[in-house]
Amino acid sequence: QVQVVESGGGLVLPGGSLRLSCSVSGTPFSVESMSWYRQGPGKEREWVASVLSGPVKKYADSVNGRFTVSRDPRRNTAYLQMNSLRPEDTAVYYCNTVVRRGGSPIWGQGTQVTVSS
């Protein structure tokens, strides 16, 4: 059974940095894609960034230039380096993976990121 686990969240000052990790287990394959989403208080879940095989990287406009997504395909692990954090980045950050092209995404439980002074 494929499982997704996020880690690395926490409390950070505005302007600070955090690095989130997402680890996928339960598959012998290098997964097709890994994506980050977030859900702020009282908001809908929104897409943040994706890294596809290639690797191809895509970012939401709100984080482009501040966040960097990367992956280690041998370990099925993805990272989200978040710099210049703002209070509006406060959210639960979720990772999902699509194991094979056309498959359904599998979600992790999320990790809380709080940006506050």
Side-chain angles (χ1 to χ4, degrees):
Q1 183 177 357
V2 176
Q3 292 187 318
V4 178
V5 177
E6 305 95 336
S7 62
L11 173 64
V12 63
L13 293 171
S17 298
L18 275 178
R19 189 176 85 150
L20 306 182
S21 299
C22 173
S23 179
V24 177
S25 61
T27 175
F29 305 108
S30 178
V31 299
E32 176 67 21
S33 67
M34 299 179 76
S35 298
W36 290 95
Y37 287 72
R38 66 185 182 187
Q39 187 165 16
K43 298 181 181 179
E44 305 241 333
R45 188 174 297 190
E46 64 174 355
W47 171 72
V48 173
S50 295
V51 56
L52 289 67
S53 57
V56 174
K57 302 177 182 181
K58 300 181 180 181
Y59 299 93
D61 290 343
S62 59
V63 306
N64 198 19
R66 299 188 299 124
F67 291 11
T68 301
V69 66
S70 60
R71 67 179 287 183
D72 181 346
R74 296 167 300 174
R75 297 182 178 182
N76 276 340
T77 299
Y79 305 95
L80 185 68
Q81 177 66 42
M82 306 185 294
N83 298 329
S84 301
L85 283 162
R86 306 166 180 168
E88 54 263 39
D89 295 317
T90 294
V92 178
Y93 283 71
Y94 297 91
C95 177
N96 80 29
T97 187
V98 174
V99 177
R100 305 300 294 271
R101 188 172 297 182
S104 298
I106 301 169
W107 293 85
Q109 293 299 306
T111 185
Q112 176 70 46
V113 172
T114 301
V115 184
S116 176
S117 56

